[in-house]
Amino acid sequence: MALKLNKNYKKIKNNYIFVEINQRKSNYLKNNKNAKIIDLGVGDVTRPLNKELVEEMQKALNEQIHARTFKGYPPENGYDFLKIQILNYYKQRNVVLQNKDIFISNGACCDVTNILDLFKKNVAVIVSPTYPAYYDSNFLQGNKILLLKSNQDNGFMASPKNLKNKSYLIYLCSPNNPTGVVYTTEQLKQWVDFANKTSSLIIFDCAYESFISDDNLPHFIYEIDGAKTCAIEIASFSKMAGFTNLRCGWTVVPSQLKLNESSINEMWTRRQCTKFNGVPYMIQKGACFALTKNGKLFCKKNIDYYKTNLKILTNCLKQLKIETFSSLHSPYVWFKCPQGLSSWQFFDILLEKCQIVGVPGVGFGKEGEGYFRFSAFAKRKDILIACNRLQQLKKD
Ligand code: PLP
């Protein structure tokens, strides 16, 4: 008898947004060979790594030459030196966690999707528009998906108020990709209270936490009372320290978190020991440096660079009377396509008339139709050229 395959892989719409974007981009380039396209689409960093951080990793690699310092498999859940640094990072926001609550990962994307290993079929609540990995992983697992509208009416910050009193897997992302909005303490408290009341689990993605510069806004879900009994948190060094290639992040699964009397921390530990053999020593050394005083200064410098890009882009859009919705605590500007254009119509006009590429909002879900996302991770000179071209478009 033939092997049984997961048919959801066939059913999932093959509309991975960046494939379509690249297709349109290369079609355009075929007919316009000399065009200098400015890419404000991809959410990948462009600033190089810090020299000291790289030296730290080189030192770690050199340790592998000597029998005395050679290292084999890393601990599945991460080296203590990095976990301690992360615990201190939380303490700065008055969040006290235990060493065993922290799991070092090779990036947020893996854990945000692998967490489903702990569950049978459930209902996932996903805010739409959304970072696609939440939707796709639940679709592939065969979970029922409840899309919660996040739109202009609720300031792109969906709340649980219309949800039934049932247990859900709830995905929240703040600062949000793609909308750039940040939940306030009061808004997150509503989610935490709802999750505790209904024995739901919040999967809180804080991959862009380091972009928050307002001390009154919560960086971590555990700043909210009651979160340790209903939420796991997934964090990343990717955008914070430029680790999109090196791959490192962490996940917090508090020891207090129990569902159906089972410890999620114990289950995740078991899962990681069976399916994950840890992050390389050298990478964890680099990540650890990023959380030192010097490392943090360096990260801040790069984040400030991207945030200045964001301000320039946002101001330019505002001058063009385009409505923007994002905060300044993220690397993304989310805006309404002008003149009622659809997301893809605006994409084609931008490409054709300005040679600028962005991401059509509809690529993040139906609620994103009519909106658009620019990423501020580009180089400053490209941001300035893009603004110039946009202003020119208005004049023409
Ligand atoms: N979560 C969100 C909201 C993201 O936007 C991204 C990457 O763009 C990730 C997670 C993936 O992060 P990592 O590079 O750590 O896998």
Side-chain angles (χ1 to χ4, degrees), residues 24-37 351:
R24 293 192 190 206
K25 205 170 134 182
S26 57
N27 286 349
Y28 179 81
L29 280 172
K30 260 187 223 147
N31 302 323
N32 302 275
K33 293 206 166 44
N34 296 324
K36 293 234 171 346
I37 291 181
L351 181 58

Side-chain angles (χ1 to χ4, degrees), residues 267-299:
M267 286 175 75
W268 186 244
T269 304
R270 189 71 183 82
R271 191 263 171 211
Q272 292 299 80
C273 291
T274 304
K275 297 199 180 183
F276 183 60
N277 260 346
V279 175
Y281 174 67
M282 175 182 77
I283 303 294
Q284 293 196 49
K285 275 285 175 184
C288 188
F289 178 83
L291 293 178
T292 60
K293 196 167 164 220
N294 274 356
K296 277 194 281 201
L297 277 178
F298 173 77
C299 291

Side-chain angles (χ1 to χ4, degrees), residues 133-174:
Y134 314 145
Y135 183 91
D136 291 355
S137 55
N138 277 281
F139 184 91
L140 293 173
Q141 172 115 343
N143 276 346
K144 193 171 164 208
I145 300 171
L146 237 174
L147 289 174
L148 260 199
K149 287 183 186 171
S150 156
N151 51 29
Q152 270 180 259
D153 295 340
N154 56 25
F156 291 95
M157 305 214 233
S159 82
K161 71 171 189 253
N162 293 326
L163 286 176
K164 293 199 176 115
N165 275 343
K166 288 188 174 169
S167 304
Y168 303 101
L169 294 170
I170 299 167
Y171 289 78
L172 297 179
C173 176
S174 179

Side-chain angles (χ1 to χ4, degrees), residues 43-44 105-110 112 131 134 173 175-177 205-208 234-239 243-244 247-249 332 373:
D44 197 357
S105 72
N106 53 6
C109 192
C110 306
V112 101
Y131 174 58
Y134 314 145
C173 176
N176 189 271
N177 178 13
D205 182 339
C206 65
Y208 299 99
I234 297 181
S236 173
F237 286 98
S238 282
K239 311 294 160 78
F243 270 51
T244 52
R247 314 299 304 140
C248 194
Y332 302 119
R373 189 196 81 176

Side-chain angles (χ1 to χ4, degrees), residues 123-126 146 148 158-172 185-203 221 224-227 229-231 259:
V123 183
V125 167
I126 298 175
L146 237 174
L148 260 199
S159 82
K161 71 171 189 253
N162 293 326
L163 286 176
K164 293 199 176 115
N165 275 343
K166 288 188 174 169
S167 304
Y168 303 101
L169 294 170
I170 299 167
Y171 289 78
L172 297 179
T185 302
E186 293 70 31
Q187 287 165 330
L188 279 185
K189 180 79 176 122
Q190 286 180 22
W191 279 107
V192 166
D193 289 346
F194 176 80
N196 276 320
K197 188 173 76 183
T198 55
S199 299
S200 295
L201 176 73
I202 296 176
I203 297 145
I221 189 87
I224 313 300
D225 275 349
T229 50
C230 67
L259 291 171

